[in-house]
Amino acid sequence: MTLTGLYVPLITPFDDNDKVALDALEKLAVDTLTAGAAGLVALGTTAEPSSLSEAERRTVLDVVAGVCHAQNAQLIVGANTPDALAKLTDRTAAALTLVPPFVRPGERGVVAYFEHLAAVSPVPLVAYHVPYRTGQSLSAATIRRLAAIRAVVGIKYAAGGIDEDTVDLMAEQPADFAVLGGDDPFIAPLLALGATGGILASALVAPAEFAALLDAYREGDLGTARPLGHKLAKLSRALFAAPNPTVIKAVLHACGTIPTPAVRLPLVQPEASIVRTARELADPRSSGLR
């Protein structure tokens, strides 16, 4: 399978009664795809999955899967264990699977773990490499070992910037393996190095602009890509100035896209000044950057 273009990890909107706002979720999914996204990510970290009940997770997945099917778009689902993977169906293009967090199993352990998951998963895997959350670094050589696992079709690459391993990986990318940028402020330089796309929460606020950025790099239109990349990096920094997705939710609510800015513990509302700065940079209702 081929994973290219913009994939947007959806939030889980809540209503005034702390219930999942399913109508708002469905509209957000439709609008994001209409604006140019290639697919959606359900139950990624942006969706606050650990704060959802099993029933809520099933309902969210049903809604997003229905939208993707109707729009002929790809669906990626956050799933990190054999049990979670076993529940996925053919409605899912791939699972977004986190490198084992906290235990720091070492690079050999990471490869062994993904070999095990690949053997039991009913869908292809996209490894989620985010060392500042997991505590586990991966070298370019190890990522190539992951790419050699038949069912591992790509990586959400969120290494915290552009370092030597990034340059090494991008200089010799594995064949038929998607490198999807996952650090929103650094997506432009990663695309310039040859990334095939991005999984970008900031695109909830400006989906058309992020889709245009990816298109511009794919087409070699640097006159469009460079200034747009600068603007989107500034927007992303503002949206991630407090723990994700608190600022994104606050901005979407302020512009009438979702019914409340509510997040569930352990997340709390961001400071008003942070939201104000983010709102000054984008208008989610028109997907127009200021």
Side-chain angles (χ1 to χ4, degrees), residues 6-13 21-42 60-75 203-204 207 252 257-258:
L6 173 64
Y7 296 84
V8 182
L10 293 172
I11 59 163
T12 303
L22 296 176
D23 289 346
L25 175 64
E26 182 176 22
K27 186 176 188 305
L28 182 62
V30 170
D31 289 350
T32 301
L33 291 173
T34 301
L40 301 173
V41 180
V60 165
L61 184 53
D62 284 344
V63 168
V64 181
V67 170
C68 286
H69 178 74
Q71 299 287 324
N72 195 29
Q74 290 179 316
L75 172 63
L204 287 164
L252 292 176
T257 305
I258 58 176

Side-chain angles (χ1 to χ4, degrees), residues 1-4 7-9 38-44 61 64-65 68 73-81 84-98 114 117-118 121-128 150-156 176-178 180 199:
M1 67 175 299
T2 302
L3 295 173
T4 60
Y7 296 84
V8 182
L40 301 173
V41 180
L43 303 180
L61 184 53
V64 181
C68 286
Q74 290 179 316
L75 172 63
I76 299 175
V77 178
N80 302 312
T81 65
L85 290 166
K87 297 173 184 176
L88 300 181
T89 69
D90 58 6
R91 298 184 302 175
T92 304
L96 181 61
T97 303
L98 189 63
F114 273 90
L117 293 181
S121 177
V123 301
L125 305 179
V126 175
Y128 184 6
R150 183 175 180 182
V152 179
V153 296
I155 188 166
K156 179 180 178 181
D176 301 318
F177 183 75
L180 303 170
I199 298 178

Side-chain angles (χ1 to χ4, degrees), residues 18 33 70 135-136 144 151 175 190 196 200 208 245 251:
D18 194 37
L33 291 173
Q136 177 64 62
R144 292 189 186 103
L190 198 63
T196 58
L200 306 167
V251 171

Side-chain angles (χ1 to χ4, degrees), residues 6 11 41 66 75 82 103 106 115 121 128 132 135 156 159 178 183 191 193 195 234 257 267 289:
L6 173 64
I11 59 163
V41 180
L75 172 63
V103 294
E115 288 174 337
S121 177
Y128 184 6
Y132 50 87
K156 179 180 178 181
D183 271 320
L191 290 168
L193 288 170
K234 188 175 182 181
T257 305
L267 296 176
L289 292 182

